[in-house]
């Protein structure tokens, strides 16, 4: 009998737990590899639909999650569905050499899901969250990316959220800002 751990062959250790509390201080080379990987993934073709947290992502699920930020009158229709990792967090990337692993949830998802997910998992470290937004600004500034930002904020701000989660206030502020942008534009 043989046993292998999926992380045995990775080029480094995971950057951290899924949500970071301290800046991992990643090199510019790391960020370049990160961007190149997400860009290459988005260009692939698949009919597989992403299953973040083992739940198939659907238009109706997206609309339901963000409805509390955009009550009535604002269209929540996702325009671009692209291949995504769908579980992008700091426990699924390595450093100091970049590698993205843990692919069981991958598939088609709204543009910006991966960027918004990593941003949301970075909110306890404001400079890191801003770096993620800067690096993936094309995804996050798109209409679908703004919808995915609200989708991620909805998950962070869920009724069962821990009241001491350091991501709560930044998520509230961003959700209000993005909702206002979508309603006015």
């Amino acid at each position: 009998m043989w046993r292998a751990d999926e992380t045995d062959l990775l080029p480094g250790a995971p950057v951290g737990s899924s949500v970071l509390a301290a800046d991992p201080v990643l090199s510019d080379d790391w960020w370049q590899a990160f961007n190149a990987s997400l860009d290459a993934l988005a260009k692939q073709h698949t009919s597989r639909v992403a299953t973040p947290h083992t739940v198939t992502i659907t238009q109706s699920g997206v609309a339901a999650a963000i409805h509390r930020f955009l009550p009535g009158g604002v269209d929540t229709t996702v325009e671009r569905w692209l291949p995504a990792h769908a579980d992008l967090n700091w426990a699924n990337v390595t450093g100091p050499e970049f590698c993205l692993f843990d692919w069981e949830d991958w598939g088609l998802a709204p543009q910006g899901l991966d960027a918004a997910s990593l941003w949301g998992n970075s909110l306890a470290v404001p400079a890191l969250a801003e770096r993620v937004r800067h690096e993936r600004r094309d995804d996050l500034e798109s209409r679908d990316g703004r919808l995915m930002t609200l989708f991620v904020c909805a998950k962070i701000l869920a009724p069962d959220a821990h009241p001491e989660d350091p991501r709560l206030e930044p998520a509230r502020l961003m959700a209000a800002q993005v909702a206002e942008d979508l309603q006015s534009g």
Side-chain angles (χ1 to χ4, degrees), residues 121-138:
N121 288 318
S122 305
L123 286 175
V125 185
L128 182 60
E130 184 53 38
R131 179 74 188 253
V132 172
R133 286 197 68 72
H134 171 77
E135 294 293 334
R136 300 308 299 170
R137 66 187 166 275
D138 289 344

Side-chain angles (χ1 to χ4, degrees), residues 52-77:
H53 305 289
T54 68
V55 177
T56 301
I57 192 164
T58 63
Q59 177 61 60
S60 61
V62 168
I66 63 177
H67 183 260
R68 66 197 250 201
F69 302 115
L70 298 172
V74 176
D75 184 11
T76 59
T77 303

Side-chain angles (χ1 to χ4, degrees), residues 58-97:
T58 63
Q59 177 61 60
S60 61
V62 168
I66 63 177
H67 183 260
R68 66 197 250 201
F69 302 115
L70 298 172
V74 176
D75 184 11
T76 59
T77 303
V78 173
E79 295 172 7
R80 293 190 71 200
W81 291 74
L82 302 171
H85 181 272
D87 189 20
L88 187 52
N89 65 67
W90 295 106
N92 289 338
V93 292
T94 64
E97 183 180 341

Side-chain angles (χ1 to χ4, degrees), residues 1 30 39 45 52 60 71 85 97 108 126 135 142 147 151 160:
M1 175 190 264
W30 189 95
D39 292 345
H45 300 282
S60 61
H85 181 272
E97 183 180 341
L108 293 173
E135 294 293 334
S142 71
L147 291 173
F151 181 75
D160 63 347

Side-chain angles (χ1 to χ4, degrees), residues 23-42:
D23 191 337
V25 189
L26 301 166
S27 70
D28 288 341
D29 287 343
W30 189 95
W31 288 103
Q32 288 172 357
F34 165 74
N35 284 322
S37 292
L38 289 189
D39 292 345
L41 175 58

